[in-house]
Amino acid sequence: MTNPSLMKKAFSPASIGNACVGFDLLGHSIAGPGDRVGVRKIDEPTVRIRAIRGLDLQLPLEAERNTAGRALIALREALGLEFGFEIEIDKGIPLGSGMGGSAASCVAALVAANALLDAPLSREALYPFALDGEAAASGSRHGDNVGPMLLGGLVLTTAERMVRIEVPAAWHCTLVHPEQVLETRRAREALRGHYALGEFVAQSANLAQVLVGCMKGDEDLVRAGFADVLVEPRRAPLIPGFAQVKQAALDAGAFGASIAGAGPSVFAWFATRAEAEAAAAPMRAAFSRAGFDSQSLVSPVAGPRAEVL
Amino acid sequence: MTNPSLMKKAFSPASIGNACVGFDLLGHSIAGPGDRVGVRKIDEPTVRIRAIRGLDLQLPLEAERNTAGRALIALREALGLEFGFEIEIDKGIPLGSGMGGSAASCVAALVAANALLDAPLSREALYPFALDGEAAASGSRHGDNVGPMLLGGLVLTTAERMVRIEVPAAWHCTLVHPEQVLETRRAREALRGHYALGEFVAQSANLAQVLVGCMKGDEDLVRAGFADVLVEPRRAPLIPGFAQVKQAALDAGAFGASIAGAGPSVFAWFATRAEAEAAAAPMRAAFSRAGFDSQSLVSPVAGPRAEVL
C-alpha cells in the first residue's frame, strides 16, 4: 500500500525557447513566473489529473493529452512502476506567451514524481520523459524549453542530451509579453517551405558565435552572432509591433533581441540587470504604439532550475 | 627607394576546411605540408608573381587571378602603400587535395608581406585580405581554410572574424588523400537545391555539440556531434570509397570522419596520436580496395599557424 496522503510539490520556472539563434536547440530559464505541480502516489496503476488551477483552465485533464500526464505515463512505463500518480497543477505561466507554459507543468510534475521514487533519477535521466511530455502539447520532441527548466540557465538541447552553457552571472534578459495571441500552429506554418544553403551557413555562423561568446563571456561575440536570419524573418510579420520592440531593445543597448519561443513575446539580452530593467519601458512602449498592452519581466540569463518545494 | 634584395619568406601549413560539421565555418591547420612564399618590395606600384615552383605548375601567374597576388593587391590598396610586391611561390600542397592549397599560398604571402611593413598588422587585421585572396581561387570569401592558417589550430570563421576554438593537445587528425581528382566546381554543384528546416536543425545541433565539446574537452560530446547530415551525404557519392574509408576510421576509434574541404581527402579525429597513426593503414586500405592509391598524414587538431621563416 502506498500512502495516499503524501504529496510532493515542485516548482518549474518559465523559459525562453528558440533563444537567440538556437531554433529548437537553445533555451534558458527565467526567474519569476512558473508552474507548481503536486504529485502523489496512488494504488491504481495509472496516471490521472485531479485538478488544474490558475491562469489557464483550457488545458486537457486527460492525462495522455496533458504534458504533465504524458511525462509521468512515460516515467511509469520506463521504470515499470506498480503504483500510479495523481497530479494537481497550478498554472503560473500563461499559455501562448512564448514562455514554455506547457513545458513547465511537465517538468514540475517530473521533478515532484521523481522525489517520490525510492531511487530518484538524475535530471539527465528525466530528460527523455520531459521530451515525451512536451510532445503531448507541441507534437514534437523539442527540448529547448524543458531542458533549461531541468538544468537551469542556458542549455543546448538535442534529441539525446542537454548541455549546460555557462554564461556570465551579470547577463540579464528582458522579456516583454504583449496581450496578443499567436497560435503555435501558425508560427510553425510560417516556417514551411524550403531553405537555401546560404541561409543555413549564415545562421550557423551566428549560432556558433553566440555559443562560443557565452562560454568565453565575450559580449562582442554574442552581439555579432545574435541575429536570427532564418526563423525570425519568417515569423516576425505575425507579431504586430515586433520590429519596433526589437529596435527599442537594441537602442537600449541589447546584445540582440528576438522572438521568445514561438512568440508573441519578445526577449533581449543585456550586459547588466540595470540595462535590462531600463529597457523594459521603451520595449513596452513600442508594443503600446502598435496597440498592445504588455507585461515585462527581467531575469538573469542563467535563471533557476525546477526544484522540489 | 626600397631595397630590392630584401625578401621575407613565410610558410603556411595546410588546413582542413569544412571540418566536422562546420561547412564554410570551421577548419583546422595541419602540421606537415605547406606552401613557402617569398615576398620582396619593388618600386613599381604593382603586385607581380615572379615564379611558381613545386607540386602544381598550373596556377595562374597573373597576380589578380592568383590567391597570393590578389591578397597582396588588396593589402596594398587598403594601406595605400606606394611600393609594390614581387612574389615567389613554392607549392607544397597539392591542389584539389582538400587541404587548402590555394589558401596556403595566400596566407604565406600575406604573412611575408606583413613582415616587410613598417607597422605590421595583427593576424586578425590580415584576415579580410586573406578572404580576398581565397575568393580569387574559389569565387567566395570563405575563411575556413585561411583562418586556421592565420591563427593556428581549430578556428571558427565568419565573414567578419576568426575565433580560435581551443581543443585538447592530445587530439589528433588522420588525413588520407587518395589519388583521385574531385573538382571543387563539381563538389559545389552537388550542394545545389533546397534544404529542409529539419536538416538544418539536425546539423546545427551537431555543430553546437562539436564546438561545445571541443571547448570543454568533452570527447563524448564531439562524438555525438561529429555527423554531417547536410553536406556529406550530397558529396560522398562523388568520392569512390568514401563510405568504406569513413567506416575504417570509425572502426579504429575515430570521434568521427568526414570529407576534408571539398574532397576528395577524408579526415578523422582521434583522442590520441597513437590511435590516429594506427588508423592510417586501414583507411588507406579502404581507398585501395576502391582502386585508389593514397597518402596519409597525422597531425594534432591544434596544428601550427603560418610563420615567417
Side-chain angles (χ1 to χ4, degrees):
Chain A
M1 281 292 290
T2 56
N3 176 353
S5 69
L6 179 66
M7 174 181 273
K8 287 284 186 183
K9 287 189 177 182
F11 173 84
S12 173
S15 71
I16 293 174
N18 299 335
C20 306
V21 289
F23 178 71
D24 269 5
L25 292 176
L26 203 59
H28 70 86
S29 58
I30 314 172
D35 286 1
R36 262 163 239 274
V37 176
V39 178
R40 63 167 64 85
K41 288 186 189 177
I42 55 174
D43 288 328
E44 302 90 316
T46 188
V47 174
R48 66 178 178 234
I49 297 172
R50 181 188 170 94
I52 303 179
R53 294 178 288 262
L55 289 171
D56 195 305
L57 303 176
Q58 308 301 310
L59 287 169
L61 276 165
E62 188 191 335
E64 183 65 43
R65 294 176 55 225
N66 178 291
T67 59
R70 177 84 72 91
L72 297 200
I73 290 169
L75 179 72
R76 270 198 77 243
E77 289 178 355
L79 300 186
L81 300 178
E82 292 184 0
F83 53 86
F85 295 113
E86 184 177 74
I87 305 170
E88 296 181 30
I89 301 173
D90 285 278
K91 296 295 299 177
I93 304 172
L95 283 188
S97 64
M99 292 161 68
S102 56
S105 299
C106 162
V107 168
L110 277 170
V111 169
N114 194 43
L116 292 168
L117 300 180
D118 292 334
L121 304 177
S122 69
R123 294 295 170 102
E124 286 73 15
L126 292 178
Y127 182 57
F129 309 121
L131 292 177
D132 289 336
E134 180 68 275
S138 69
S140 78
R141 291 168 58 84
H142 61 92
D144 53 329
N145 283 115
V146 296
M149 292 167 180
L150 281 168
L151 284 194
L154 181 69
V155 178
L156 170 71
T157 57
T158 73
E160 288 82 26
R161 70 182 74 208
M162 308 181 285
V163 182
R164 178 152 176 156
I165 308 294
E166 301 301 328
V167 296
W171 291 4
H172 278 68
C173 166
T174 302
L175 183 127
V176 179
H177 173 214
E179 292 187 357
Q180 54 180 256
V181 173
L182 172 53
E183 286 176 45
T184 300
R185 183 183 54 76
R186 281 188 69 212
R188 283 263 155 191
E189 279 172 3
L191 303 183
R192 283 194 186 156
H194 294 301
Y195 292 78
L197 185 59
E199 290 183 284
F200 164 73
V201 173
Q203 185 86 345
S204 297
N206 288 345
L207 174 61
Q209 289 177 95
V210 166
L211 284 173
V212 176
C214 287
M215 292 179 73
K216 292 191 174 189
D218 182 332
E219 177 184 322
D220 291 339
L221 213 46
V222 176
R223 283 181 192 276
F226 199 141
D228 180 343
V229 298
L230 198 78
V231 171
E232 183 187 300
R234 289 171 165 87
R235 286 184 166 173
L238 303 177
I239 304 172
F242 173 78
Q244 293 74 26
V245 176
K246 177 176 176 174
Q247 192 57 51
L250 295 173
D251 291 345
F255 295 173
S258 192
I259 302 165
S265 296
V266 178
F267 79 102
W269 282 9
F270 297 88
T272 64
R273 173 176 281 275
E275 283 183 274
E277 287 178 344
M283 289 173 72
R284 292 186 58 204
F287 262 134
S288 180
R289 285 194 296 279
F292 295 94
D293 284 340
S294 62
Q295 293 87 44
S296 65
L297 63 84
V298 168
S299 164
V301 173
R305 69 172 200 168
E307 296 289 0
V308 173
L309 294 171
Chain B
M1 278 296 286
T2 55
N3 177 354
S5 68
L6 179 65
M7 175 180 271
K8 288 284 186 184
K9 287 189 177 181
F11 173 84
S12 173
S15 70
I16 293 173
N18 299 337
C20 308
V21 288
F23 177 71
D24 269 4
L25 292 177
L26 203 59
H28 70 86
S29 58
I30 314 172
D35 286 1
R36 264 163 239 273
V37 176
V39 178
R40 64 167 65 85
K41 288 185 188 177
I42 56 175
D43 288 330
E44 302 91 317
T46 188
V47 174
R48 66 180 180 234
I49 298 171
R50 182 189 169 93
I52 303 179
R53 294 179 289 262
L55 290 173
D56 195 305
L57 301 175
Q58 308 302 311
L59 287 169
L61 276 165
E62 188 191 335
E64 182 66 44
R65 293 177 54 225
N66 178 290
T67 60
R70 176 83 73 90
L72 296 200
I73 290 170
L75 179 72
R76 269 198 77 245
E77 290 177 356
L79 300 185
L81 300 177
E82 292 183 359
F83 53 85
F85 295 112
E86 186 177 75
I87 305 170
E88 296 181 28
I89 301 172
D90 286 277
K91 296 297 299 178
I93 304 173
L95 283 187
S97 65
M99 292 163 66
S102 55
S105 299
C106 163
V107 167
L110 277 170
V111 169
N114 194 45
L116 292 168
L117 301 181
D118 293 333
L121 303 177
S122 70
R123 294 295 169 102
E124 285 75 13
L126 293 177
Y127 182 57
F129 310 122
L131 291 177
D132 289 337
E134 179 69 273
S138 68
S140 77
R141 293 168 56 83
H142 61 92
D144 53 328
N145 283 116
V146 295
M149 293 167 179
L150 281 167
L151 285 193
L154 180 69
V155 179
L156 169 71
T157 57
T158 73
E160 289 82 26
R161 71 183 72 209
M162 309 181 284
V163 182
R164 176 151 177 157
I165 309 294
E166 301 301 328
V167 296
W171 290 4
H172 277 68
C173 166
T174 303
L175 183 127
V176 180
H177 174 213
E179 291 186 359
Q180 54 179 255
V181 172
L182 171 54
E183 287 176 45
T184 300
R185 184 183 54 76
R186 281 188 69 213
R188 283 261 157 195
E189 280 172 1
L191 304 184
R192 281 193 188 156
H194 295 299
Y195 292 78
L197 184 59
E199 290 183 285
F200 164 73
V201 173
Q203 185 86 344
S204 296
N206 287 346
L207 174 61
Q209 289 178 95
V210 167
L211 285 173
V212 175
C214 287
M215 293 179 71
K216 293 191 174 189
D218 182 334
E219 177 184 322
D220 290 338
L221 212 46
V222 176
R223 283 181 192 275
F226 199 141
D228 181 342
V229 298
L230 198 79
V231 170
E232 184 187 299
R234 289 171 166 87
R235 285 183 166 171
L238 303 177
I239 304 172
F242 173 78
Q244 293 74 25
V245 177
K246 176 176 176 174
Q247 192 58 51
L250 294 174
D251 290 346
F255 296 172
S258 192
I259 302 165
S265 295
V266 178
F267 77 103
W269 282 10
F270 297 87
T272 64
R273 174 176 281 276
E275 283 183 274
E277 287 177 344
M283 289 173 73
R284 291 186 59 205
F287 262 132
S288 182
R289 284 193 297 277
F292 295 95
D293 283 342
S294 62
Q295 295 85 44
S296 64
L297 64 84
V298 168
S299 164
V301 174
R305 68 173 201 169
E307 297 288 1
V308 173
L309 294 169

